[in-house]
Amino acid sequence: MAKFRLLQLVKPCLCLLPEINSPDRRIPFREKILWTALSLFIFLVSSQIPLYGIATSKTSDPFYWMRVILASNRGTLMELGISPIITSGMVMQLLAGSKILEVDQSLKEDRILFQGAQKLFGMAITLGEAMAYVLSGMYGDVKDVGIGNSILIIVQLFFAGVIVLMLDEMLQKGYGLGSGISLFIATNICETIVWKAFSPTTLNTGRGAEFEGAVIALFHMFFSRSDKFTAIKDAFYRQNAPNLTALGATILVFFVVIYFQGFRVDLTVKYQKIRGQTGSYPIKLFYTSNMPIILHSTLISNLYFFSQLLYRRWKSSMIINFFGQWQEVEMTGTSVPVGGLMYYVSPPNSFLEVWEDPIHALFYILFMLTSCALLSKLWIDVSGTSSKDVAKQLRDQQMMIPGYRDTDLPRLLNRYIPTAAMTGGMCIGALTILADFLGAIGSGTGILLAVTIIYQLFETVYKEREQGAPMFG
């Protein structure tokens, strides 16, 4: 009872928290498209509005590795991205799944309290991260920025974070398609891929000005150089800017992931109340979807961040050097691991790097596959999608599997669900490794996230269509 009262502590705060009311009617498909587009527009605009009061943002970016999965943009209102939502959601799920926080999702009051606690925790994380960013000197020394500007930056980041929370809640409650988290991640990744393919900006690569976009660079090189063969070769293999090989690898991985999405096992289920009525319960290979890679990336990115902070302060420490050694890249303004544990858990960027340091590649492969499999298994235990949870859901819906008793359901499902979760996690890890080794645009993690999210969005639209919702009329 004492554990349950931890959730009750949130009750007095519910009236102070901003909230989106659930729709009191069925939202038409066209209206869902409108709200989804509006949410996306607000996010994209906020990603381009610079923070007022910052002294500088030219220092090395310690969160460079996290930008893809956090849908954040440095020096703008979307500096924090969806980090507070992801962190609060994962922590609350872990607390609930491990029974540290007792929640009965069948009770409406518990669901409201749990959602309120998650929102309150997300707002607290937003404020904490905003203060940490300012105090750590991300925007210049606090003395140079000034107390007033420092407070103003924190306020801007906090309110931008609250807006993201509200947009996600609006979509989750049925006003839009999917969730804000998925929408913002996919948009951020797709924007990166499209930009690196068609960017009209020019770069100085030491051989004169070249276009950043791989496709535009191909036409520019072909028509501006006399040696056409060398021009095409450079467009496919140039090292200091996006090339066509990387773009081709991105498209290849995209279709491979879609192909794997179709792998599943369908269990026949029968409705107890309706005689002769049968259906199917699909168990997909990607049972936990993209959660393994999100959990993995969040964990590794946080380790990168703390390793960089420690290395800057205590470069001479043997323990800190064992944890990670970093070097700043002048062209991109980012820091990359060049030694220590962080180097071995970071992906090689091409097959050439694999050939030059096979131990690094082997360690990374083993670490990636193992961590994704274990995180996938952990997620089904804490998110309410384990064999016991699914068996309970089927019983609650008066459904059964022909030839098996209700008491046998957990044992039967245990043959498929844990295997699908761990195998799917390893496949996600393997596809991420493949994309990284091929040098795909946006990193393997980013492409995996984008493809799985777009596929989920497609499934959502297809379900809407099955339910009779007109697409555009």
Side-chain angles (χ1 to χ4, degrees):
M1 200 66 180
K3 289 181 181 178
F4 182 75
R5 283 176 186 160
L6 289 174
L7 203 57
Q8 293 285 354
L9 295 174
V10 183
K11 204 168 186 177
C13 303
L14 290 180
C15 59
L16 302 174
L17 296 176
E19 184 182 4
I20 303 292
N21 292 325
S22 299
D24 54 2
R25 60 184 173 85
R26 179 180 172 80
I27 306 296
F29 184 78
R30 284 186 302 171
E31 196 172 325
K32 286 187 176 182
I33 291 287
L34 178 64
W35 285 115
T36 304
L38 180 62
S39 301
L40 193 55
F41 176 76
I42 293 172
F43 168 76
L44 290 173
V45 170
S46 300
S47 296
Q48 300 302 321
I49 299 177
L51 288 166
Y52 177 80
I54 60 176
T56 179
S57 60
K58 294 180 181 178
T59 55
S60 174
D61 184 6
F63 289 98
Y64 167 74
W65 303 92
M66 301 178 74
R67 299 291 179 193
V68 172
I69 65 164
L70 298 184
S72 64
N73 194 13
R74 192 178 184 197
T76 69
L77 292 176
M78 283 296 112
E79 177 78 71
L80 302 182
I82 57 172
S83 172
I85 303 178
I86 289 182
T87 307
S88 63
M90 287 182 178
V91 171
M92 293 300 291
Q93 285 283 5
L94 288 170
L95 290 175
S98 58
K99 306 301 180 186
I100 295 174
L101 194 67
E102 291 186 3
V103 185
D104 187 351
Q105 294 289 356
S106 62
L107 296 175
K108 183 179 179 181
E109 184 184 6
D110 271 26
R111 289 200 303 271
I112 292 173
L113 288 173
F114 184 76
Q115 290 168 5
Q118 188 168 317
K119 189 187 299 182
L120 183 64
F121 189 40
M123 293 173 69
I125 291 173
T126 303
L127 183 60
E129 286 188 358
M131 294 176 67
Y133 270 52
V134 172
L135 296 175
S136 64
M138 279 278 287
Y139 309 114
D141 194 283
V142 177
K143 293 179 181 178
D144 299 330
V145 175
I147 300 297
N149 280 343
S150 297
I151 295 173
L152 187 58
I153 293 169
I154 292 171
V155 171
Q156 290 175 82
L157 291 174
F158 176 74
F159 278 103
V162 172
I163 288 173
V164 172
L165 283 167
M166 292 297 98
L167 291 175
D168 180 62
E169 184 178 350
M170 181 182 72
L171 297 179
Q172 292 265 25
K173 285 192 172 181
Y175 287 99
L177 301 170
S179 71
I181 294 176
S182 298
L183 183 68
F184 300 152
I185 289 176
T187 302
N188 200 43
I189 297 164
C190 291
E191 181 188 8
T192 301
I193 294 172
V194 171
W195 179 259
K196 290 189 176 182
F198 301 101
S199 170
T201 58
T202 55
L203 302 171
N204 188 2
T205 59
R207 297 172 299 185
E210 293 181 5
F211 283 99
E212 182 182 6
V215 176
I216 295 180
L218 169 66
F219 289 100
H220 175 256
M221 290 177 182
F222 185 80
F223 289 110
S224 63
R225 295 184 183 180
S226 56
D227 189 343
K228 306 301 181 184
F229 178 78
T230 305
I232 294 173
K233 181 182 175 183
D234 287 345
F236 273 88
Y237 300 109
R238 61 179 182 168
Q239 296 296 316
N240 298 323
N243 56 55
L244 289 178
T245 303
L247 184 60
T250 305
I251 296 170
L252 172 66
V253 173
F254 187 91
F255 285 108
V256 170
V257 176
I258 291 177
Y259 175 73
F260 273 98
Q261 290 278 4
F263 284 75
R264 68 182 189 182
V265 174
D266 288 316
L267 298 179
T268 303
V269 294
K270 189 166 69 174
Y271 296 89
Q272 294 178 356
K273 287 186 176 180
I274 308 173
R275 231 176 241 186
Q277 183 78 22
T278 60
S280 64
Y281 184 83
I283 299 175
K284 295 182 179 181
L285 174 62
F286 291 163
Y287 184 73
T288 52
S289 188
N290 51 27
M291 281 312 300
I293 202 67
I294 290 179
L295 292 169
H296 172 87
S297 300
T298 304
L299 173 65
I300 294 302
S301 299
N302 279 290
L303 289 175
Y304 282 170
F305 173 60
F306 287 114
S307 175
Q308 287 184 70
L309 289 182
L310 293 172
Y311 185 72
R312 284 178 183 175
R313 290 177 178 249
W314 298 287
K315 286 187 179 181
S316 58
S317 171
M318 185 177 68
I319 297 174
I320 301 301
N321 277 270
F322 174 78
F323 188 46
Q325 300 169 32
W326 296 82
Q327 182 178 351
E328 189 167 336
V329 180
E330 292 183 8
M331 182 176 292
T332 59
T334 59
S335 293
V336 295
V338 293
L341 184 61
M342 292 300 98
Y343 168 71
Y344 285 98
V345 299
S346 65
N349 295 317
S350 64
F351 277 112
L352 180 62
E353 291 188 18
V354 174
W355 177 262
E356 291 174 349
D357 193 350
I359 296 176
H360 172 206
L362 181 62
F363 187 93
Y364 171 71
I365 291 171
L366 293 174
F367 174 75
M368 191 74 181
L369 295 179
T370 305
S371 61
C372 283
L374 294 178
L375 287 171
S376 185
K377 178 64 170 64
L378 172 67
W379 185 250
I380 65 172
D381 292 331
V382 302
S383 63
T385 54
S386 65
S387 303
K388 290 182 180 178
D389 297 316
V390 173
K392 184 178 181 299
Q393 291 169 17
L394 292 175
R395 284 195 296 266
D396 291 343
Q397 296 171 12
Q398 300 293 311
M399 299 170 76
M400 60 177 289
I401 297 178
Y404 294 91
R405 298 177 181 177
D406 285 351
T407 53
D408 295 332
L409 284 181
R411 182 170 54 85
L412 173 66
L413 292 169
N414 216 37
R415 295 179 193 171
Y416 300 99
I417 290 178
T419 305
M422 295 192 73
T423 306
M426 289 185 70
C427 286
I428 287 283
L431 289 169
T432 303
I433 293 168
L434 175 65
D436 284 327
F437 284 7
L438 290 174
I441 296 173
S443 80
T445 301
I447 294 168
L448 262 292
L449 287 172
V451 176
T452 51
I453 289 168
I454 291 170
Y455 191 85
Q456 288 170 1
L457 190 61
F458 170 78
E459 287 185 325
T460 302
V461 172
Y462 185 77
K463 286 178 183 176
E464 290 279 345
R465 185 180 174 186
E466 277 191 331
Q467 292 170 5
M471 298 296 285
F472 299 103

